[in-house]
Amino acid sequence: MKKILVIDDSSSVHAFVKYCFHGFDVTIQSAYNGEEGLLFVQQEHANYDLILLDWEMPIKDGPSTLPEIMKHNSSQTVLMMTSKSSEENISQMINMGASEYIMKPFTKDIILGKTFPFLGFDYEIAN
Amino acid sequence: MKLQTDDIRFFANYIESQLGIIYQEDNYFQLENRLVEIARIFDVKTPQDLMTKAKSGISGQFKQVLLDVATNNETSFFRDTKVYKNLETTILPELIRDAKINKTDLNIWSVASSSGQEAYSISILIQEISQKMAMPQVKIYSTDISERILKKAASGKYSQLEVQRGMPTNMLLKYFSKTEDEHWQIKDEIKNRVEFKVLNLKSDPYLTLKFDLILCRNVLIYQKVDAKADILKRLYFCMKPNGYLLMGSGESMLGFDNPYIQEINEGIAYYTKTKKIPAVAA
């Protein structure tokens, strides 16, 4: 069972991500801002296979959350999932340690295609 | 909008007569979705109106859109990552070495390449390989039956959704620029290597060049066996003696006579003219 943490302030994004992974061997934990996300990350035995991180959120946004996640676990796989989509935005987060970048809006095939290589799933077969 | 089975059959028969692409009744839902899309493009409100329009004569723009939509599958960059990995690490370096020894160009043909993702993915691989080894002149030919889709392909401009299908973010940043209208433009260094040409595999003369690599992936799945065998025979004559033909991962040449030799490389089936001699470790 793979574990994904979704950090995003929109409940509809959480619902859509859950819908996309429905039927796969995946469990999804929801956090609604960076601070809440970090609490989950820092829990003992958290071990998330993947973190999906939004940019714009109240309390603590994505760019200030990502370095703290990486500080806690430098090999943590984090994928940005945001409507900020300029080349500068993308470069900034990749340089800060994000493994991939998903631009909103996205479709089910896009999120599965972007995340499956990190989860060790075969996208071609699943698709 | 809901279409009757007989109405869908009318369009399926028309598409088969024009393109040789067969929609079995099991796949009518797929065609129905595409017909609904056409109705939206032409602002047709009811199935009856769509049928009236079609039966009064399918011509002009309506015909072009119908044929485009019927053949336009959702496509992605680097579709089937294992295949592209194998091309990058094994097949392309081998073909590049051969071309340099024989002092020839490296010619690649993306058959029925739709909106260009396959041709541009190959061009990106060539660009990546060129940073590691000296290259011969490389030309990628990209053909499709649809003029409309080729125009889009030749523009090298893709929507945000399209570039997220199969294109890793590091490659996106390296080989695309974002446009003011929220699209992504492929860079000239990748685009200039690709040439686009309208070609109907059933009825047009094929390209006269000889190819090192022909990609004919997920193209012949809707063709009848005899049409498929005929196309594959014609492609055989377009290959260099050391060339490869690559089909889709679910496709094969089982069930009909063909002149090819099958070679399996890291689990991927390639079709060749001559048996390759495996490299011997020094």
Side-chain angles (χ1 to χ4, degrees):
Chain A
M1 174 79 75
K2 299 288 180 181
K3 286 169 73 179
I4 299 177
L5 173 63
V6 181
I7 310 175
D8 195 303
D9 61 335
S10 161
S11 52
S12 62
V13 169
H14 288 278
F16 185 67
V17 171
K18 278 181 186 158
Y19 153 78
C20 293
F21 284 97
H22 180 75
F24 295 107
D25 198 17
V26 164
T27 170
I28 295 172
Q29 179 68 56
S30 296
Y32 289 83
N33 60 64
E35 205 167 280
E36 198 184 337
L38 283 169
L39 288 176
F40 283 116
V41 170
Q42 286 156 0
Q43 275 175 4
E44 221 180 321
H45 311 300
N47 297 332
Y48 291 103
D49 296 285
L50 191 75
I51 296 175
L52 294 169
L53 178 64
D54 188 14
W55 187 302
E56 293 167 299
M57 292 179 287
I59 305 171
K60 197 175 189 69
D61 66 8
S64 46
T65 306
L66 180 60
E68 292 193 43
I69 294 173
M70 302 313 285
K71 199 171 143 195
H72 180 76
N73 175 4
S74 60
S75 61
Q76 177 67 60
T77 303
V78 179
L79 273 68
M80 291 303 294
M81 187 175 64
T82 165
S83 51
K84 304 272 277 183
S85 61
S86 72
E87 291 173 61
E88 294 72 28
N89 294 149
I90 300 171
S91 294
Q92 182 189 340
M93 300 314 285
I94 296 291
N95 291 337
M96 282 168 75
S99 300
E100 256 295 342
Y101 203 99
I102 302 169
M103 295 177 270
K104 293 177 183 169
F106 56 85
T107 54
K108 180 178 172 178
D109 66 312
I110 288 172
I111 191 172
L112 298 187
K114 290 271 189 189
T115 55
F116 273 23
F118 299 103
L119 295 169
F121 294 166
D122 191 331
Y123 178 66
E124 267 84 28
I125 289 170
N127 204 30
Chain B
M1 180 179 291
K2 187 86 191 134
L3 287 154
Q4 301 297 316
T5 305
D6 280 350
D7 293 345
I8 301 170
R9 188 174 293 116
F10 169 84
F11 284 104
N13 290 341
Y14 178 76
I15 289 164
E16 186 180 349
S17 72
Q18 293 292 308
L19 299 172
I21 292 171
I22 305 158
Y23 276 97
Q24 306 286 2
E25 231 171 282
D26 291 350
N27 294 324
Y28 272 15
F29 70 95
Q30 205 177 23
L31 180 55
E32 186 179 11
N33 288 341
R34 289 166 185 195
L35 291 169
V36 169
E37 195 182 324
I38 293 170
R40 204 169 37 238
I41 292 168
F42 285 97
D43 203 25
V44 174
K45 299 281 185 292
T46 68
Q48 290 73 28
D49 289 350
L50 186 69
M51 289 311 297
T52 308
K53 191 172 174 59
K55 285 183 171 165
S56 68
I58 297 180
S59 62
Q61 206 195 349
F62 186 76
K63 177 178 172 178
Q64 188 60 56
V65 171
L66 175 62
L67 300 184
D68 279 348
V69 173
T71 53
N72 186 16
N73 291 312
E74 204 59 75
T75 178
S76 70
F77 292 94
F78 299 105
R79 184 171 175 187
D80 200 340
T81 44
K82 283 191 203 106
V83 169
Y84 280 95
K85 192 85 207 147
N86 184 253
L87 284 172
E88 185 181 6
T89 57
T90 308
I91 301 297
L92 285 170
E94 176 195 313
L95 291 172
I96 289 163
R97 271 192 299 272
D98 287 354
K100 282 194 293 189
I101 290 167
N102 299 327
K103 296 190 167 50
T104 56
D105 293 350
L106 182 74
N107 296 326
I108 299 170
W109 182 4
S110 168
V111 177
S113 71
S114 186
S115 39
Q117 282 90 336
E118 181 176 82
Y120 288 135
S121 299
I122 292 289
S123 187
I124 288 173
L125 285 193
I126 295 287
Q127 192 70 21
E128 291 283 307
I129 295 169
S130 74
Q131 287 151 21
K132 295 173 210 148
M133 63 195 287
M135 299 293 283
Q137 186 70 31
V138 181
K139 199 79 201 170
I140 300 164
Y141 294 83
S142 176
T143 62
D144 201 276
I145 193 169
S146 159
E147 196 177 345
R148 188 183 72 127
I149 208 80
L150 277 182
K151 257 189 195 158
K152 177 186 159 48
S155 76
K157 191 174 169 182
Y158 293 93
S159 71
Q160 189 167 285
L161 288 177
E162 285 170 319
V163 291
Q164 294 201 86
R165 295 199 167 97
M167 181 60 63
T169 299
N170 60 339
M171 296 280 188
L172 180 70
L173 290 173
K174 204 165 164 186
Y175 296 120
F176 289 78
S177 310
K178 191 159 185 190
T179 63
E180 281 179 6
D181 60 351
E182 299 291 309
H183 281 63
W184 292 81
Q185 177 67 52
I186 200 153
K187 291 186 177 167
D188 285 346
E189 63 197 275
I190 303 302
K191 195 165 157 241
N192 292 344
R193 203 177 280 126
V194 186
E195 197 169 297
F196 295 92
K197 192 173 161 47
V198 176
L199 191 144
N200 184 330
L201 282 174
K202 282 181 76 184
S203 56
D204 285 343
Y206 284 10
L207 304 173
T208 50
L209 282 168
K210 295 292 179 198
F211 289 90
D212 298 86
L213 176 65
I214 299 178
L215 301 140
C216 187
R217 303 173 63 215
N218 310 304
V219 175
L220 304 178
I221 34 178
Y222 296 117
Q223 298 284 352
K224 283 181 176 162
V225 171
D226 52 348
K228 199 184 209 176
D230 182 52
I231 290 167
L232 287 167
K233 263 182 211 154
R234 292 178 69 194
L235 290 175
Y236 185 84
F237 291 107
C238 299
M239 280 166 69
K240 285 185 186 170
N242 63 331
Y244 289 101
L245 174 107
L246 181 59
M247 298 176 81
S249 50
E251 299 177 285
S252 79
M253 296 200 197
L254 286 174
F256 56 91
D257 278 345
N258 69 81
Y260 293 90
I261 297 166
Q262 192 189 59
E263 295 265 345
I264 306 289
N265 195 314
E266 292 170 3
I268 294 150
Y270 290 89
Y271 295 90
T272 65
K273 282 188 165 181
T274 44
K275 189 98 186 135
K276 304 273 174 175
I277 302 159
V280 180

